[in-house]
Amino acid sequence: MTYHIENGRVVTPEGCELNVAHHCNLGCASCSHLSPVFTRSFIAPETAAHDLALLAKSFRAQFVKVLGGEPLLHRELVPILGSVRASGIAPRIVVCTNGMLLPRMREDFWAAVDEVEISVYPGKEIPEEKMARVRELAADHGVTLTLLHYSHFRYSYSEFGTGDERLVRRIYSTCQIAHVWRCHTVFEGHFFKCPQSVFLPRVLDDVADPWEDALEITDDPGFADRLLAYLRSPEPLRACRNCLGSAGRLMPHEQRTRRDFRLPQRHPTEDLTDRAFLELLDRTPDADDGCAVDSAAEWRSRLSGTAAGPASASTTHHTPEGT
């Protein structure tokens, strides 16, 4: 299914994303939202309410994914979730979290969401006795719990980028974030095709206009048509010169400090690209990126080294962004 206009609104077969906290309580290597190097910052509830209500006049998603950074750090998360619901932009609300703060969440949080997607990292698992309570609260409120267990990441960007326009186009055209998962992002009154085009310009030093890849959200009659053209455009974004899309080399998961987070990315795009996986993506757009599994047993096997390691397959896990 592709994008289309229905009753004056662009309809996507996937969702859109709202980053409510730009920092995190973890420092995951190659975080695609670059949260480990962002200062403590939150979206204002009134900003979220305004942007989503305005966008909802011209855009319809299947769900809104609320994430970060770590969204559970936001003290006004529940009112924001209420604004997401009230906007009518999508029938479902998904919160994507590393889960560390999930056992502290009150009943009003569970009443406000439809799904909680937990990214489980080595050494950062929720203790089983607390996880039992989380499962109980989710069941009581009819909330779906989805656990994705991470053993690896893919390099998400290059500090130096590339001038190879053909490589930039291949990275863009095979990008699962933009074209398969469609992680379209609402940020400060603008609509971005992917979160990387939001955050990379705000970290890299050589980007003159951080809004270059965005479409300003308006309520004029032509906005839906402009939005549809933007989503269908085959042209790479400015951020694609530094972004690795879905084709970055695999690295084992690890935690990094703010000081050393950017160091491994100080190589050209060519050095950080997984050429074999890029070729697979050319043939199989939804190939498994090799980072996460649903099964805790398979995850532990990967971590212990008893499994052969991540393999590219024909089915993909929707890798959570930035959490």
Side-chain angles (χ1 to χ4, degrees):
M1 182 179 176
T2 187
Y3 308 104
H4 65 281
I5 291 184
E6 183 178 308
N7 298 324
R9 298 198 292 179
V10 176
V11 178
T12 175
E14 295 291 337
C16 67
E17 297 188 352
L18 181 70
N19 293 264
V20 299
H22 302 124
H23 59 295
C24 191
N25 52 355
L26 297 181
C28 297
S30 202
C31 170
S32 61
H33 289 202
L34 286 75
S35 298
V37 294
F38 271 84
T39 55
R40 180 182 176 88
S41 59
F42 300 103
I43 188 173
E46 55 270 22
T47 299
H50 174 269
D51 289 352
L52 291 175
L54 185 59
L55 181 61
K57 296 178 180 180
S58 303
F59 184 74
R60 174 73 171 173
Q62 307 310 305
F63 57 87
V64 172
K65 180 171 282 191
V66 177
L67 70 174
E70 174 46 55
L72 303 191
L73 291 169
H74 203 308
R75 293 184 178 179
E76 296 181 277
L77 178 58
V78 171
I80 289 175
L81 297 176
S83 295
V84 175
R85 186 79 69 190
S87 73
I89 196 170
R92 289 179 57 79
I93 299 175
V94 181
V95 171
C96 182
T97 172
N98 61 44
M100 302 296 292
L101 301 176
L102 200 54
R104 304 183 189 178
M105 302 308 289
R106 303 185 310 246
E107 297 268 352
D108 56 353
F109 166 79
W110 293 101
V113 300
D114 299 293
E115 181 177 352
V116 174
E117 191 175 273
I118 305 173
S119 301
V120 183
Y121 302 119
K124 303 298 180 181
E125 306 96 310
I126 303 174
E128 188 50 46
E129 65 276 9
K130 293 184 177 180
M131 192 63 204
R133 178 56 178 160
V134 167
R135 293 183 190 279
E136 180 182 341
L137 285 166
D140 288 347
H141 291 86
V143 175
T144 301
L145 279 184
T146 302
L147 277 69
L148 292 176
H149 298 76
Y150 282 80
S151 61
H152 290 72
F153 278 130
R154 286 190 178 271
Y155 282 92
S156 62
Y157 79 102
S158 160
E159 291 272 340
F160 299 156
T162 182
D164 184 340
E165 292 298 327
R166 183 173 180 274
L167 179 58
V168 170
R169 286 185 175 277
R170 285 189 73 196
I171 287 173
Y172 171 74
S173 66
T174 61
C175 181
Q176 296 174 322
I177 300 161
H179 307 306
V180 177
W181 307 331
R182 308 185 203 216
C183 303
H184 310 320
T185 300
V186 180
F187 180 78
E188 294 187 5
H190 292 73
F191 187 98
F192 287 81
K193 195 170 292 188
C194 62
Q196 286 78 356
S197 59
V198 178
F199 299 113
L200 278 174
R202 286 158 178 79
V203 170
L204 300 176
D205 300 325
D206 61 345
V207 178
D209 181 7
W211 303 102
E212 182 176 348
D213 290 331
L215 189 65
E216 184 178 4
I217 302 169
T218 67
D219 61 357
D220 68 86
F223 178 72
D225 289 329
R226 294 199 305 276
L227 178 58
L228 183 62
Y230 170 79
L231 290 171
R232 287 177 170 175
S233 174
E235 293 302 312
L237 305 171
R238 169 61 181 83
C240 299
R241 301 177 198 175
N242 293 85
C243 186
L244 296 168
S246 304
R249 285 178 13 221
L250 275 172
M251 67 164 76
H253 172 272
E254 63 179 3
Q255 297 292 314
R256 293 214 178 105
T257 66
R258 180 184 182 87
R259 183 176 62 182
D260 67 6
F261 175 81
R262 295 177 65 178
L263 294 176
Q265 281 75 231
R266 290 184 177 169
H267 296 276
T269 296
E270 289 81 354
D271 292 353
L272 298 178
T273 300
D274 183 338
R275 298 284 182 161
F277 191 58
L278 183 58
E279 291 179 5
L280 176 62
L281 289 170
D282 281 331
R283 303 188 305 271
T284 311
D286 64 345
D288 186 351
D289 66 5
C291 295
V293 291
D294 299 324
S295 165
E298 183 179 348
W299 177 62
R300 294 189 183 96
S301 180
R302 282 187 179 186
L303 295 176
S304 68
T306 59
S312 297
S314 59
T315 58
T316 189
H317 293 291
H318 188 313
T319 302
E321 299 293 330
T323 297

